[in-house]
Amino acid sequence: MKDVAARAGVGLKTVSRVVNAEPGVTPDTERRVQEAIDALGFRRNDSARVLRKGRTASIGLVLEDLADPFYGPLNRAVEEVARAHGALLINGSSAEDPDREQELVLALCARRVDGLIIIPAGHDHRYLEPEIKAGVATVFVDRPAGKINADAVLSDSFGGALSGTAHLVAHGHRRIGFIGDQPRIHTAVERLRGYRAAMAEAGLPVDDSWVSLGTTAPERVHDAVVSMLKAPEPVTAILTGNNRVTVTVVRALAAHERPVALVGFDDIELADLLDPGVTVIAQDAATLGRTAAERLFRRLDGAADAPNQVVVPTRLIARGSGELPPSADR
């Protein structure tokens, strides 16, 4: 900074104001300082800045799986809000492993991020209490925190599954299967609850063989589809619990001799180009990410109100697969 100041013919404070985009510098002086910075290859020392200001201008985002298309728009929305606040986004994947989640979160805290946005894999987040007390703002997305009171931004999983199942009922289906994610996952439980509630509202029973929860591994999901379709009372429609399950179900149904109606939770790429197009309950991943990030920065700016939960609506997009009637022989 001394070299930059000497070359531009200004004081150290003026260089600091230009580097930190602070007011009080004339355009001509700012130009001279910037030319000196460019000529000397000066770079701000962020480590020293952290020591002085106590903030790193960085936030962490812990996702389930960066490869999952659902998280792309969410990640981008968080990044855009962070950028607007002059902050860097650092992210990583928990792989749906609670231990990995905790390891990533604490590693980010050790690097002194100012805040965290977490899609939780675990059910006990008391390990975060010391970090939150130390000032690390934290917002949970897609699923609520476990055993602590924290801000959360969630999709309406219950309402979405309720509307998707009711949609199938309205098109004449009485035997509707549900294939979802692992039962320890909050969204899987909520979507199953919405499915059961819609069936109950329609006065329809739910046979145990019509419900399958487990991993999203293609083999497991494919076996669930085959089992439901070969049962003595086979299902005529299926509601899926997330995008990865939907993709496998679409492939399994392609080999089935009779049409089976399908509504998927989460949109999938090219869903509108299939024949029939895949009817989905679409989540607004970008709004989830943006809302969570804006809440986080409000906390960082000093908002001290009690933690709250925001629920983002879903919407049903009818494309054809969810409007198929039951086969005539069923």
Side-chain angles (χ1 to χ4, degrees):
M1 284 181 67
K2 288 180 180 178
D3 292 338
V4 170
R7 187 182 183 99
V10 299
L12 284 173
K13 183 60 178 176
T14 300
V15 176
S16 177
R17 285 195 179 108
V18 172
V19 169
N20 292 295
E22 295 174 358
V25 182
T26 66
D28 181 63
T29 300
E30 184 178 357
R31 177 186 56 78
R32 295 203 323 271
V33 172
Q34 194 58 57
E35 286 175 352
I37 287 171
D38 294 341
L40 295 172
F42 172 79
R43 295 291 181 272
R44 183 177 66 192
N45 186 329
D46 278 340
S47 295
R49 183 169 177 262
V50 169
L51 290 173
R52 185 175 73 255
K53 293 193 171 185
R55 292 273 290 270
T56 62
S58 63
I59 63 170
L61 172 61
V62 177
L63 303 165
E64 177 197 344
D65 182 0
L66 283 168
D68 188 329
F70 171 74
Y71 293 116
L74 189 152
N75 185 91
R76 174 63 65 86
V78 172
E79 188 172 25
E80 287 176 353
V81 175
R83 188 167 181 263
H85 285 82
L88 175 71
L89 176 65
I90 306 169
N91 56 32
S93 300
S94 69
E96 203 62 75
D97 181 345
D99 292 334
R100 174 63 177 158
E101 174 211 305
Q102 182 171 339
E103 177 188 332
L104 269 173
V105 167
L106 294 181
L108 289 165
C109 290
R111 284 160 178 76
R112 298 187 64 183
V113 294
D114 299 323
L116 292 164
I117 295 175
I118 302 170
I119 289 91
H123 295 280
D124 188 346
H125 294 94
R126 288 175 294 182
Y127 71 86
L128 261 171
E129 287 179 333
E131 310 300 334
I132 294 173
K133 287 178 181 177
V136 179
T138 306
V139 177
F140 289 79
V141 182
D142 193 41
R143 309 162 190 172
K147 300 185 179 180
I148 64 170
N149 192 18
D151 290 313
V153 181
L154 315 174
S155 283
D156 185 7
S157 287
F158 173 83
L162 182 78
S163 67
T165 307
H167 186 75
L168 291 168
V169 170
H171 283 83
H173 296 278
R174 299 295 178 264
R175 299 194 301 275
I176 302 169
F178 177 81
I179 304 177
D181 211 329
Q182 300 177 71
R184 64 180 177 82
I185 298 174
H186 172 81
T187 49
V189 172
E190 284 297 288
R191 291 165 195 176
L192 174 60
R193 193 168 69 87
Y195 156 80
R196 288 189 180 278
M199 295 291 279
E201 286 180 10
L204 299 174
V206 175
D207 191 280
D208 289 344
S209 65
W210 300 349
V211 175
S212 177
L213 297 182
T215 72
T216 57
E219 298 81 7
R220 198 282 300 181
V221 175
H222 182 274
D223 289 347
V225 174
V226 171
S227 177
M228 290 181 186
L229 296 180
K230 288 188 174 180
E233 292 289 322
V235 301
T236 63
I238 295 174
L239 177 74
T240 60
N242 65 35
N243 55 357
R244 285 166 292 184
V245 173
T246 303
V247 169
T248 301
V249 172
V250 167
R251 288 177 175 149
L253 294 182
H256 193 61
E257 67 274 13
R258 296 185 184 89
V260 176
L262 171 66
V263 173
F265 210 108
D266 290 342
D267 210 347
I268 59 172
E269 192 173 3
L270 305 181
D272 57 329
L273 299 181
L274 297 172
D275 186 19
V278 181
T279 296
V280 299
I281 304 150
Q283 299 187 80
D284 192 342
T287 294
L288 287 172
R290 186 180 311 108
T291 304
E294 288 172 349
R295 182 63 181 171
L296 184 75
F297 281 100
R298 282 199 296 274
R299 288 293 187 199
L300 291 173
D301 288 340
D305 51 305
N308 71 341
Q309 192 172 99
V310 176
V311 178
V312 177
T314 58
R315 65 189 180 100
L316 191 143
I317 304 174
R319 297 193 178 110
S321 70
E323 294 69 61
L324 294 172
S327 296
D329 58 347
R330 294 189 182 182

